[in-house]
Every structure is written in structure tokens, then in C-alpha cells.
Amino acid sequence: MVAMVLLAAVPLLYPPIPPLVDLLGHMGRYRVELDIGTSPFLKTYYAFRWSVMGNLGVDLLVWPLGKLIGLEPAVKLIVIAIPMMTVAGMLWVAREVHHRLPPTVMFALPFAYGHHFLFGFVNYALSVALALLAFGLWLRLGRLRKYRLRAALFVPISFLVWTCHTFGWGMLGLLAFSADAVRNHDEGRGWLRSAFRAALHAAVLSLPILLMLAWREGGGGITTDWFNWRNKWFSVHTVLRDRWREWDLVSFALTAIMLLFAIVHPRLTLSRMLTFTALVLLAAFALLPRLIFGSAYADMRLMPFVVAFFLLAIRFRRETDYRLARVLAVVALTFLLARTASVTASLAIAADDQREKLAALDKVPMGARVLSLVGVQCRDRGWALWRNGHIGGMTIVRREGLTNNHWENPGAQLLVNVYEPAGRFRYDPSQLVRDPRCRLALPRPVNVSLANFPREAFDYVWLVDPPAFNPRLLGDAELIHQGRGVYLFRLRPPAAEAPPRG
């Protein structure tokens, strides 16, 4: 178990900055959080205000740790801990339910690096990691019938998980309810009575609703796009999406085959408790909209754990068949090591690529106003995650400058871009550009963005992996840095290199 938890850290050891899609944008916010009180540049461009909301996990951890060891090392340390805690939670849950670890649990562990994590939903991923650990404790205390102790402990635990991210708290509630419903049914109660008793037990997790109501009164972001079945199917088959389409799809297919094998094999079965838990999560996935409180892909984030819980449910029907167990152990371990190796290689490739792209910032002075434009592939051509989509956030991290990749989500974000001259080029997705041949409404074609951004509001234009573009649209701008897939232009006549101090 210790080896499997440690193995979960391996893919993130090499990259100096975890190359997760949204993380670099979040890191810009962390820099403002840490230094807006002392930086004259950050004060000019941003406003930051702490508020109570269900989306604060990594932000709160960065505050002390960033001051102690620096922002970038702090982020790396926190992000490495997330898949390790996720794996530890999965193993604890499996052991509490099966009273031992079936070899097939190793099929579930790669989902710690599912699409939700690689996309950089770090507050959500942290909340789910804590929810899984809390669920292991919930099951243990329930098995020992220490209900009063459990109720007392899970009031503060529910607030902790909710503060990290609302979705993780909601997931913990579903896990606790489904497990207790099955436990009560196994003790001879009917399903209706079991569900009622389970709801009463899970009610100790409900107090953060008061914080949620206050948050919603202050805005809290929008909720929309219900029952988008095309998007939900996309969320299913991209559950292990990383870089190599065929391998990622084959990996998902292998887990589906393992689940079917367990269903039809006479010596294998599925735990009723974990199967019911997976079905409850699947129902939530079907019912949730794409956007909740301004957070996108709300339904997609559940899918890795729907699959993981089905896989964690696999067990031997009666006594262990050691010949079959050895075969399953070898296959499962091979799968786990192969997925770990592929994610490690993928993140290393992304880290090397980002290191090249970030070299352009060495030519940018402190406090500069930088328009970042990042090319994204057409949907029908791209599979690899566009990990540079929020690379502009590093302008804030390393140069305390203005960038245009932060999210506009009133009531659901701590940071606000207050630099009015940038207009609609203040927020995401203004940093994303596409080839005009892509049949998409968003993002804008690269030449449209180059022709329409407010030149007086920026000092530099930083193009990352752009499609073919017309440099004449930049007029007399000077190309001061060029590398593989990266161009940095200084606009002329040059704007002031930085706002005045004081």
C-alpha cells in the first residue's frame, strides 16, 4: 500500500511546475494572493479579496507554504500530495469494504490521474482526495458502530471538504449516504427504511449548506447546461485523456473489460456497497449540468470516480482463488505501471515544452503588460490536452505583470482584473486563438485577435503554439524572442515598461 501511494507521486517529480492545463492560471492568482500588499505592479492590475466560498483548497494551503518556501515549490508540493492522498483514500475504502485488498484495486488507481486532475481542477481534486480519506474513516467508524464519534468528527470534516471545493463535499455526502443505505439493508431493513436511516446519518454533513446559501446570495457563479448528453458521452470516453489517443482509449477499454470479466466470471463478484456507491455517483453524473456555480465540466469531474468505484468493487465471490489472484495481480500491476509510465512521460514532455516557452519571459521586464495568445487545435484533430492554455498566468508569477488569461466569474473568484484599458482582452478565453479553418464560434481566429486587441493597453504580445498568423497585423512591433512554437513581440511605439511605483 505504501509503495502504491509513493508511486502516485512519480509522474510529478520531474516537472518543476506541474503542467496541468488550468494550474498555471491559478498560479497567477496565488502570486497576487501572496504579494499584492507589497507589489506596486499587482495593485495596478488586480484586486484580491478573500471571501467564504466552496473553492479555496489550494489557495489556503499556498498562503503559508508559499511564504515559507516560495510559490512554485509550494504549488509543486501541494499538487504532488493530491494523487497520493487520492490513492491512499481508494486503498483505505477498498480495505474497509473487502477487509483486504483484492489485486484488482490496481486497475482503479490510475484514475487519480484522470481527466479532472490533468485538466488542473486542483481545488476539486484536493477536495475529492480528502473526501475519499474521509469516506474510509466513515466506513471504519460505521463498521465499529461508533456513530456518535463519527457524527462529532464529520461536522468539522464536512466544513473542511466544502471549503476545499463544493463538489468534493457533495461527493462525500453521496458516498456516506450510499454506504449506510447498503449497510442498513444488509442488516435486514427494507430499502426505504434503510435510505431514511442513511439520510439521517449523512445529515451530519449538511451544515455547510448554510455557507453555500450565503455564498449564493453574494453571487457564486451561474449554473446551466443541463442534460447535454453529447458532452456527457465525451466525458465518458475521455476519462483517461492525456496525450496519446489510442493508448488512452485502450486503457479505458481495458478497465471496462476487467469490469465485465468480474461480472461474468463465476469466482468473482462486485461488492454491493461499492457498486451501489458507483451507481449513485453515475446517477449524479447524469443529473448534473455542465456548469455549476460558474465551474465548468461539473459532471465530467465525477466520471473518473464512477469508473474507479466500479473497479474497487471487484472481489472474490467466496474464498480466494490464488491462481486467478496471481494472474489478476500481474495484469493489474502491469496496467498500473504502464499508465504511470505514460503519464510520467507525457508530463515530462509538457514540462520541457513549457520550459522553452517560458524562456520568453526572461525578455520581459517586471510589471509589463503582456497579451498572451495560445493556439488550440480543432476538436476533430486534437486529443492531447492543451497544457499551455493558461501559460500566460506565469507572467504574473514571474514578472508581476498584466495578463489576459484569468477567469471572469463574479462571486466565484477571489481575483478580479481591474485594468479597464484591456477591455474584453482582460479575461479567459481571450488568450485562446484558433486556425480560421476550424468551424468553432470560440476561440477567435488568431488574426482576428491580432487585429482587434487594444494596442495601447499592452506592451508585449506573446504567441504560444499559434496557427499561421499575419505578423503585419502587429505593425511595427519588434520580434525580440523566437523559439519552437513561441514568438514574443514588443509593441511600438513602446508603452511604458511598467506603471510608476507608489
Side-chain angles (χ1 to χ4, degrees), residues 286-361:
L287 294 173
L288 284 175
R290 186 185 64 85
L291 201 71
I292 296 181
F293 301 161
S295 293
Y297 306 113
D299 50 356
M300 176 270 279
R301 303 180 193 209
L302 270 180
M303 184 47 60
F305 300 100
V306 173
V307 181
F309 270 97
F310 274 122
L311 294 168
L312 291 173
I314 299 173
R315 66 191 303 173
F316 282 93
R317 188 176 295 275
R318 295 181 183 85
E319 72 281 354
T320 300
D321 181 332
Y322 286 99
R323 179 180 298 179
L324 177 60
R326 281 192 291 269
V327 173
L328 292 175
V330 169
V331 175
L333 179 59
T334 301
F335 177 74
L336 173 60
L337 293 176
R339 282 303 304 179
T340 302
S342 70
V343 174
T344 301
S346 176
L347 294 182
I349 292 169
D352 289 341
D353 177 64
Q354 288 184 350
R355 187 182 291 110
E356 285 189 49
K357 304 294 195 298
L358 291 171
L361 290 181

Side-chain angles (χ1 to χ4, degrees), residues 43-116:
K43 290 177 182 177
T44 301
Y45 305 134
Y46 307 104
F48 185 91
R49 186 180 63 141
W50 288 105
S51 61
V52 176
M53 63 176 63
N55 190 9
L56 295 176
V58 178
D59 297 76
L60 292 175
L61 292 175
V62 160
W63 176 255
L65 199 56
K67 291 182 177 295
L68 184 65
I69 64 175
L71 174 57
E72 293 183 33
V75 169
K76 178 171 180 174
L77 187 62
I78 294 166
V79 173
I80 285 177
I82 292 173
M84 296 178 71
M85 291 191 297
T86 304
V87 166
M90 289 182 183
L91 294 175
W92 190 1
V93 168
R95 196 176 191 284
E96 283 298 322
V97 173
H98 303 303
H99 309 297
R100 62 181 302 171
L101 284 181
T104 47
V105 297
M106 290 182 284
F107 280 105
L109 303 188
F111 289 89
Y113 280 90
H115 193 186
H116 72 291

Side-chain angles (χ1 to χ4, degrees), residues 219-300:
I222 63 172
T223 298
T224 187
D225 200 9
W226 300 81
F227 305 114
N228 186 335
W229 300 113
R230 181 178 180 182
N231 183 73
K232 290 182 187 296
W233 169 242
F234 181 77
S235 301
V236 172
H237 81 267
T238 59
V239 69
L240 288 174
R241 179 185 177 190
D242 179 12
R243 181 176 299 273
W244 298 287
R245 181 195 300 265
E246 290 76 15
W247 168 236
D248 296 339
L249 291 176
V250 165
S251 297
F252 177 57
L254 288 173
T255 61
I257 291 171
M258 183 62 241
L259 183 60
L260 290 174
F261 180 76
I263 292 172
V264 301
H265 197 281
R267 291 188 177 273
L268 297 175
T269 188
L270 301 181
S271 157
R272 293 174 69 247
M273 179 177 290
L274 292 183
T275 300
F276 185 67
T277 299
L279 290 172
V280 169
L281 292 180
L282 183 61
F285 167 77
L287 294 173
L288 284 175
R290 186 185 64 85
L291 201 71
I292 296 181
F293 301 161
S295 293
Y297 306 113
D299 50 356
M300 176 270 279

Side-chain angles (χ1 to χ4, degrees), residues 29-30 33 48-63 122-124 126-127 160-166 215 412-414:
R29 183 176 71 253
Y30 305 153
E33 165 191 327
F48 185 91
R49 186 180 63 141
W50 288 105
S51 61
V52 176
M53 63 176 63
N55 190 9
L56 295 176
V58 178
D59 297 76
L60 292 175
L61 292 175
V62 160
W63 176 255
V122 287
N123 283 348
Y124 168 75
L126 175 62
S127 73
L160 173 64
V161 177
W162 182 89
T163 302
C164 286
H165 201 282
T166 310
W215 177 29
Q413 295 291 340
L414 304 175

